[in-house]
């Protein structure tokens, strides 16, 4: 595993400012969004850490737009992010896994030129059993006229993201983000209440040790997917067999594979022809990060970041991680969609 070590104490706020200097045209608005997200992450971390003590474990009585029972922490994390970012004047709208439609900025607050899309709590089924969960976020620039955000602002291909990141509430709380200048990891020092740079310029190994897939759907996969999983497991000696590691939290599986090399796969299956994971606030942000770290992400027929979204909560099959392993998925699943070089293409 590539050793990521930081040599001096750098807070995330300081690093964001340094990164901002790489963009001469920067106004500081995107930086302010990242500060606010770091604050929201600390607040959610506090709730996750003490969930077992306060009455915030377990499920609510309501279902979200995904048709899933909302966990209390899903709702809490969702509210924390909305409240931390709705008044700063940098966003024109938000979209959340937990909300059916886009979230308008309240009339009493000024609008800005960015959109924030997020999965407030990823891996919710793991909360009550103390398995790592996470938060995932994606930032797009507004493309429509007028001050208020519209659905068209949200439905942009992932290559147009200006920032993306995730927080993992694990043995330590880490925040990993990119603005297109590499992927950088920060670890929360609880004694200071500060995220400190711990993993500058993360690079994912080109071939993976770990395969993260839920094999219980095996009988629902089509033959090419079954063949691909056999390949990853070393059938025919075509490659070193991968070890299976599947936490059931996308952020936790992705983070381990990002640092140590590996592939996360959530294929389409007969019951879910588009797979389970959502394009706008799960696949796209993690695809931006992994490409910035030298990895790749596809849906089996082409690059995740080139998909033109049509719905806010649309799902997408996902193969993400070490580049040579993702390339194997594209070739073995008959990757047909040609890569699309676009204006403002990120990492194209
Ligand atoms: P969320 O909790 O935000 O709905 O996401 C859960 C996702 C993802 O975190 C994880 O990889 C996947 O669901 C696990 O799904 P299965 O239980 O079907 O394997
Ligand atoms: Mn999720
Ligand atoms: Mn979620």
């Amino acid at each position: 595993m590539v050793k990521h070590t930081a040599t001096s104490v750098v807070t995330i706020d300081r690093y964001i400012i340094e990164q901002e200097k790489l963009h001469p045209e920067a106004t500081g608005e995107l930086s302010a969004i990242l500060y606010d997200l770091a604050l929201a992450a600390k607040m959610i971390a506090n709730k996750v850490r003490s969930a077992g003590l306060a009455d915030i474990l377990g499920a609510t009585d309501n279902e979200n737009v995904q048709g899933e029972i909302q966990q209390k922490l899903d709702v809490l994390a969702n509210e924390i992010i909305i409240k931390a970012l709705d008044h700063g004047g940098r966003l024109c709208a938000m979209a959340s896994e937990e909300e059916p439609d886009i979230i308008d900025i309240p009339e009493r607050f000024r609008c800005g030129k960015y959109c924030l899309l997020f999965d407030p709590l990823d891996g919710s089924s793991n909360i009550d059993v103390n398995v790592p969960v996470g938060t995932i976020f994606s930032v797009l620039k507004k493309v429509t006229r007028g001050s208020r955000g519209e659905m068209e602002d949200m439905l942009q291909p992932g290559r147009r993201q200006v920032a993306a990141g995730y927080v993992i509430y694990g043995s330590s709380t880490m925040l990993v983000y990119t603005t297109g200048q590499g992927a950088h990891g920060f670890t929360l020092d609880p004694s200071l209440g500060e995220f400190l740079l711990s993993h500058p310029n993360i690079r994912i190994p080109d071939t993976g040790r770990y395969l993260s897939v839920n094999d219980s759907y095996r009988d629902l996969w089509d033959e090419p997917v079954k063949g691909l999983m056999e390949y990853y497991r070393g059938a025919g000696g075509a490659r070193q067999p991968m070890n299976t590691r599947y936490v059931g939290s996308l952020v936790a599986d992705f983070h381990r594979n990002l640092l140590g090399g590996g592939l996360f796969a959530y294929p389409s299956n007969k019951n879910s022809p588009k797979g389970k994971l959502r394009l706008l606030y799960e696949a796209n942000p993690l695809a931006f990060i992994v490409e910035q770290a030298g990895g790749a992400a596809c849906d089996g027929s082409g690059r995740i970041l080139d998909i033109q979204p049509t719905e806010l909560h649309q799902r997408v099959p996902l193969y993400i991680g070490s580049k040579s392993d993702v390339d194997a998925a594209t070739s073995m699943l008959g990757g047909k969609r040609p890569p699309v070089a676009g204006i403002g293409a990120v990492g194209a």
Side-chain angles (χ1 to χ4, degrees):
M1 181 190 290
V2 175
K3 190 100 185 66
H4 296 280
T5 49
T7 49
S8 52
V9 176
V10 178
T11 63
I12 191 168
D13 290 10
R14 184 98 166 273
Y15 202 80
I16 290 169
I17 292 170
E18 298 302 323
Q19 291 260 306
E20 183 187 312
K21 288 182 191 144
L22 302 174
H23 300 265
E25 75 290 355
T27 61
E29 288 187 75
L30 181 58
S31 296
I33 293 170
L34 294 171
Y35 298 146
D36 292 346
L37 284 165
L39 172 64
K42 290 183 226 177
M43 295 165 74
I44 295 171
N46 261 349
K47 295 295 177 196
V48 168
R49 300 253 166 271
S50 56
L53 303 173
D55 176 25
I56 49 175
L57 280 178
T60 64
D61 308 336
N62 37 346
E63 229 179 58
N64 63 12
V65 64
Q66 322 284 342
E68 296 157 350
I69 296 291
Q70 283 182 315
Q71 300 296 309
K72 289 177 188 165
L73 269 176
D74 279 328
V75 175
L76 210 48
N78 190 51
E79 281 161 13
I80 286 172
I81 294 172
I82 292 171
K83 290 277 172 292
L85 282 113
D86 67 357
H87 57 281
R90 284 99 192 189
L91 297 178
C92 61
M94 295 186 239
S96 165
E97 174 188 321
E98 301 303 331
E99 304 280 346
D101 301 313
I102 63 175
I103 304 159
D104 290 329
I105 300 300
E107 291 292 335
R108 64 187 183 283
F109 299 136
R110 201 167 37 85
C111 281
K113 61 186 181 190
Y114 293 104
C115 300
L116 174 69
L117 303 93
F118 57 94
D119 175 359
L121 208 75
D122 173 69
S124 313
S125 59
N126 285 317
I127 293 167
D128 292 6
V129 292
N130 203 13
V131 168
V133 293
T135 296
I136 312 172
F137 63 86
S138 168
V139 184
L140 291 164
K141 221 174 200 167
K142 184 174 182 3
V143 290
T144 59
R145 303 168 66 81
S147 61
R148 302 232 153 250
E150 296 169 27
M151 187 59 79
E152 190 186 339
D153 294 311
M154 302 293 176
L155 301 181
Q156 299 181 55
R159 67 173 179 271
R160 289 190 178 281
Q161 292 174 97
V162 291
Y166 65 86
V167 188
I168 176 167
Y169 310 103
S171 44
S172 62
T173 298
M174 269 193 73
L175 189 154
V176 175
Y177 84 89
T178 184
T179 55
Q181 255 81 29
H184 313 287
F186 300 81
T187 300
L188 182 63
D189 178 332
S191 64
L192 298 176
E194 285 280 6
F195 278 108
L196 302 179
L197 180 65
S198 53
H199 296 68
N201 280 312
I202 296 171
R203 303 303 294 167
I204 183 171
D206 190 57
T207 54
R209 294 167 58 197
Y210 300 117
L211 171 63
S212 305
V213 68
N214 185 338
D215 278 308
S216 61
Y217 301 117
R218 192 184 180 291
D219 295 343
L220 300 172
W221 294 335
D222 64 22
E223 289 311 310
V225 171
K226 288 180 187 169
L228 177 66
M229 296 305 152
E230 299 309 315
Y231 160 77
Y232 288 138
R233 292 201 159 97
R239 64 148 290 143
Q240 184 71 21
M242 296 170 90
N243 290 343
T244 298
R245 291 279 191 288
Y246 193 74
V247 176
S249 283
L250 168 60
V251 168
D253 283 316
F254 175 80
H255 183 71
R256 181 204 50 250
N257 295 345
L258 180 71
L259 297 188
L263 180 106
F264 174 94
Y266 205 107
S268 55
N269 66 57
K270 290 189 182 67
N271 295 346
S272 332
K274 284 287 188 191
K276 172 179 184 181
L277 298 170
R278 280 61 52 141
L279 173 62
L280 291 184
Y281 42 78
E282 289 176 314
N284 270 345
L286 298 185
F288 186 13
I289 287 171
V290 82
E291 287 198 4
Q292 287 290 312
C298 77
D299 64 351
S301 57
R303 186 182 180 222
I304 288 285
L305 294 183
D306 284 336
I307 296 173
Q308 173 55 55
T310 52
E311 285 158 42
L312 201 54
H313 300 290
Q314 75 184 69
R315 298 172 192 263
V316 67
L318 181 61
Y319 301 84
I320 186 167
S322 294
K323 183 160 181 358
S324 65
D325 297 320
V326 174
D327 290 350
T330 304
S331 57
M332 291 179 72
L333 301 182
K336 297 175 283 302
R337 195 162 30 86
V340 176
I343 303 160
V346 175

